[in-house]
Amino acid sequence: MGISIANAALRLVSGAFILNSGINKLRIDEASASGLQQMAANGVPQLAELEPAVFGKAVSISEISLGSALLLPLIPSRLAGLGLGAFSGVLLASYLRTPGMTESDGIRPTADGTALAKDVWLAGIAVALIFGRKAAKKIKKAK
């Protein structure tokens, strides 16, 4: 079952980044949590129903959990990739649905949108983790 060097690199980079982000949000103040919540609610409207403090804690715990899952080799890559895919999906939905983040074409980022648009790399890593080993096995069988 092992983990490939490529998967290890993808998991290390994204896991460390997300874990650090979650740890930094442990003591998020209510005003910052509220701003983060408003942005997230553009992608997932139901998030607006939470109290900002509860939302801030939930985001922190979620990021710490996901970052840890990506860093722990005993978690299968596909499972870690699915978690990362859901996480990056919310980030990208927020980016695409927040006014002023994209140019008139609805995809290319404005100067304000670049900070969120760059998170597309997380979606790419998720796809690689979910489908990477399957493709590698098919190539190996073909030889």
Side-chain angles (χ1 to χ4, degrees), residues 75-96:
I75 305 294
S77 290
R78 281 197 191 113
L79 183 59
L82 288 170
L84 182 59
F87 178 74
S88 63
V90 171
L91 292 174
L92 292 175
S94 296
Y95 159 70
L96 292 170

Side-chain angles (χ1 to χ4, degrees), residues 92-111:
L92 292 175
S94 296
Y95 159 70
L96 292 170
R97 294 179 182 165
T98 300
M101 295 287 129
T102 62
E103 297 287 347
S104 60
D105 62 11
I107 296 177
R108 291 179 303 122
T110 60

Side-chain angles (χ1 to χ4, degrees), residues 1-5 131-143:
M1 174 168 128
I3 188 166
S4 71
I5 293 173
F131 298 107
R133 289 202 51 94
K134 192 180 284 188
K137 286 180 183 178
K138 284 183 183 178
I139 291 170
K140 201 174 202 179
K141 281 185 181 180
K143 290 182 179 182

